[in-house]
Amino acid sequence: MSPAQPDSSSQTSNIPRQISISPTLPKKRQAKSRRNFDSQAFLATLGAGSKPVGFKTRQNIFAQGDPADSVFYIQTGNVKLTVVSKTGKEATIGILAEGDFFGEASLAGQPLRMGSATAMTDCVLLRIDKKAMIGALHRKHEFSDLFVAYLLARNIRYEEDLVDQLFNFSEKRLARILLLLAHFGKEGKPETVVPKISQEMLAEMIGTTRSRVSYFMNRFRKLGCIHYNGGLQVHSSLLNVVLHD
């Protein structure tokens, strides 16, 4: 398969490509490596320091500049993380799912939120006060091990995102983000990507234009790599786009 022409900002590289998995640890792997530790059940024992909160689709969870006084754990739903520049340009920096944490920068002394969080679907989140979260990490080693492993996996993901942005064509960047959103590799089956994710949002995430995303999405569909059926399904054949030089 011949790659499409890159946009003007694209660069070539012989650096080996890697597809990272979602930073969320699979439940079976968590159970095996953390001795059946149930983080959700443990977090429910924090009492007044944590409480479940519900958000509707497109509802703001916190805004850039708000006080950073808590950590959130996603029990159900999807959350979008964004940042806005001084000139008003918005960029999507992450889409999170069940089992993910966010807002953890507050634990490192960040006084204000550096970005915004918005519910992409109806969500149930566990809001954990900063003090309660720090206490939980000190008190329960299994939980602190799991949390550190999660942060390390997400840091690796961010590094891979940066390398991808610097060295890959926009077509490969789009293919990679679709595979990540579909949790590529889980039981080898095509999975539904975050519902109703717009081409504008995908363009923000890979650093190109909506028209380029539209062109590549049509190309992927014609190749049989993706399928529209109420939502967007991604097939493992899309991996060929990422691995092709």
Side-chain angles (χ1 to χ4, degrees):
M1 181 180 66
S2 298
Q5 281 294 57
D7 46 31
S8 60
S9 63
S10 302
Q11 301 180 44
T12 59
S13 173
N14 293 322
I15 293 178
R17 312 294 189 228
Q18 287 189 338
I19 297 296
S20 65
I21 61 171
S22 165
T24 305
L25 297 176
K27 290 182 179 179
K28 290 183 180 179
R29 185 177 173 186
Q30 284 184 25
K32 183 177 180 180
S33 61
R34 306 301 171 193
R35 299 179 181 178
N36 297 315
F37 178 70
D38 189 336
S39 59
Q40 196 158 174
F42 170 68
L43 291 171
T45 67
L46 299 183
S50 68
K51 64 177 181 179
V53 287
F55 293 89
K56 296 292 185 182
T57 303
R58 296 191 182 90
Q59 186 176 352
N60 186 58
I61 299 167
F62 58 72
Q64 191 168 323
D66 284 352
D69 56 2
S70 58
V71 177
F72 289 87
Y73 176 79
I74 303 176
Q75 295 181 320
T76 62
N78 296 99
V79 172
K80 177 178 70 170
L81 302 180
T82 59
V83 293
V84 179
S85 69
K86 292 181 179 179
T87 58
K89 184 177 181 180
E90 183 177 276
T92 300
I93 58 173
I95 294 177
L96 307 180
E98 179 181 338
D100 286 344
F101 292 91
F102 63 98
E104 69 282 349
S106 60
L107 302 178
Q110 184 185 84
L112 301 175
R113 302 290 188 190
M114 299 299 291
S116 300
T118 307
M120 291 189 66
T121 62
D122 288 352
C123 296
V124 177
L125 312 177
L126 193 65
R127 183 187 184 278
I128 311 165
D129 290 340
K130 175 181 174 180
K131 183 177 180 180
M133 185 69 176
I134 293 174
L137 291 169
H138 284 297
R139 186 169 69 255
K140 196 73 171 179
H141 289 165
E142 295 90 342
F143 177 62
S144 59
D145 288 347
L146 184 145
F147 187 68
V148 169
Y150 171 79
L151 294 181
L152 290 173
R154 198 164 77 181
N155 186 64
I156 291 170
R157 163 71 187 276
Y158 285 159
E159 289 180 350
E160 290 174 344
D161 286 347
L162 178 59
V163 171
D164 191 46
Q165 189 74 21
L166 291 173
F167 296 112
N168 276 341
F169 297 120
S170 54
E171 181 183 26
K172 290 187 177 183
R173 297 200 302 269
L174 177 60
R176 177 177 175 271
I177 202 66
L178 290 174
L179 289 165
L180 288 170
L181 290 172
H183 301 292
F184 173 75
K186 183 181 178 182
E187 299 179 359
K189 298 178 181 178
E191 298 190 15
T192 302
V193 179
V194 178
K196 298 182 180 179
I197 184 168
S198 68
Q199 292 186 356
E200 287 83 358
M201 189 181 301
L202 288 170
E204 290 174 2
M205 295 178 74
I206 67 172
T208 190
T209 63
R210 192 207 63 79
S211 61
R212 294 292 286 173
V213 169
S214 178
Y215 172 80
F216 292 132
M217 292 291 279
N218 286 329
R219 175 180 169 83
F220 295 160
R221 181 177 55 80
K222 290 176 182 178
L223 291 170
C225 299
I226 63 174
H227 177 65
Y228 295 99
N229 184 22
L232 177 64
Q233 286 188 320
V234 176
H235 300 273
S236 59
S237 57
L238 188 60
L239 181 62
N240 295 329
V241 176
V242 180
L243 297 179
H244 182 82
D245 286 323

